[in-house]
Amino acid sequence: MRILVTYASKYGATGGIAERIARTLDAAGHATTVRPVQDGDDLGGYDAYVIGSAVYLGKWLSGARKVVRGNAAALAGKPVWLFSSGPLDVAAAEAAKRKQLAEAAPKQIAELADEITPRGHRVFSGALDAARLKRLDRMVRVLPGGKALLPDGDFRDWSDIDDWAMEIALELDEQPAKAFPNNR
Ligand SMILES: Cc1cc2nc3c(=O)[nH]c(=O)nc-3n(C[C@H](O)[C@H](O)[C@H](O)COP(=O)(O)O)c2cc1C
């Protein structure tokens, strides 16, 4: 199958997750393209999609929201998986994993899910390199007294990401059998 893995990322952590998912799907035999979302993106021409965004202040980045909304009609008929890259510790991501979509996800996920009915949504722990933050993000991260609200470090859980990508690959392998139930 032709799969597009596309993502919105400010500092690259989400891009790294997307690349890793694409690598697993590729190794599972799918022709996988991975690329950042762009304004006015036309997502046509693929059989399945994995779309992700970093989470800032409880929201997906606007580029990712726009690309889903702008392609809602095309995506609605295709298998789509969404992921968010956010919590900056593994415990928070574990908690997010156990909760159901509506509770754990950034709030727009439920709205996007209404439009495109994704097969699933996962929250992965992310990464933050304090030295690279732009001024506004640095200000949000640190309280006036100097206390950091968000920890510095790479909390991405590669085995969790690989497992999820394998689940997607397995589900896609089942597609023809579902479409043609009389095939033996
Ligand atoms: C200013 C700022 C605000 C953030 N807000 C959230 C948030 O509300 N929820 C969350 O889960 N993570 C939040 N994060 C963590 C980022 O989502 C995480 O670092 C992510 O992996 C960054 O991905 P990127 O490098 O692709 O942009 C925030 C990070 C920064 C710097």
Side-chain angles (χ1 to χ4, degrees):
M1 279 196 183
R2 290 159 307 165
I3 307 179
L4 177 65
V5 181
T6 191
Y7 62 92
S9 174
K10 261 197 200 183
Y11 298 103
T14 313
I17 294 173
E19 297 276 353
R20 183 80 173 210
I21 291 168
R23 202 199 305 172
T24 301
L25 294 173
D26 216 54
H30 297 288
T32 312
T33 302
V34 57
R35 65 167 193 240
V37 296
Q38 280 166 2
D39 268 357
D41 238 351
D42 175 357
L43 299 191
Y46 295 89
D47 305 306
Y49 300 85
V50 180
I51 304 172
S53 176
V55 180
Y56 285 86
L57 302 177
K59 293 183 172 177
W60 260 29
L61 291 170
S62 63
R65 290 182 341 240
K66 276 191 204 151
V67 94
V68 171
R69 295 227 158 89
N71 289 274
L75 295 174
K78 298 274 172 69
V80 181
W81 285 264
L82 305 178
F83 72 92
S84 301
S85 139
L88 291 167
D89 62 77
V90 173
E94 279 291 318
K97 197 161 61 176
R98 285 193 299 272
K99 286 197 232 162
Q100 283 314 302
L101 193 150
E103 272 179 275
K107 52 180 176 290
Q108 302 97 355
I109 294 293
E111 296 161 24
L112 296 177
D114 280 347
E115 293 179 39
I116 59 161
T117 335
R119 298 277 182 100
H121 168 255
R122 278 294 303 274
V123 176
F124 293 116
S125 42
L128 184 152
D129 179 354
R132 290 180 54 226
L133 291 186
K134 292 176 194 146
R135 202 172 71 87
L136 263 181
D137 287 339
R138 220 171 32 237
M139 283 167 63
V140 172
R141 178 180 172 254
V142 179
L143 289 172
K147 184 179 182 307
L149 290 172
L150 296 163
D152 193 11
D154 190 344
F155 302 93
R156 289 173 293 178
D157 181 339
W158 300 113
S159 70
D160 192 22
I161 293 162
D162 291 346
D163 287 351
W164 191 66
M166 273 314 294
E167 282 170 29
I168 292 174
L170 289 172
E171 213 174 311
L172 288 173
D173 279 351
E174 287 171 11
Q175 290 268 114
K178 274 185 194 158
F180 305 104
N182 293 331
N183 280 4
R184 303 265 164 209

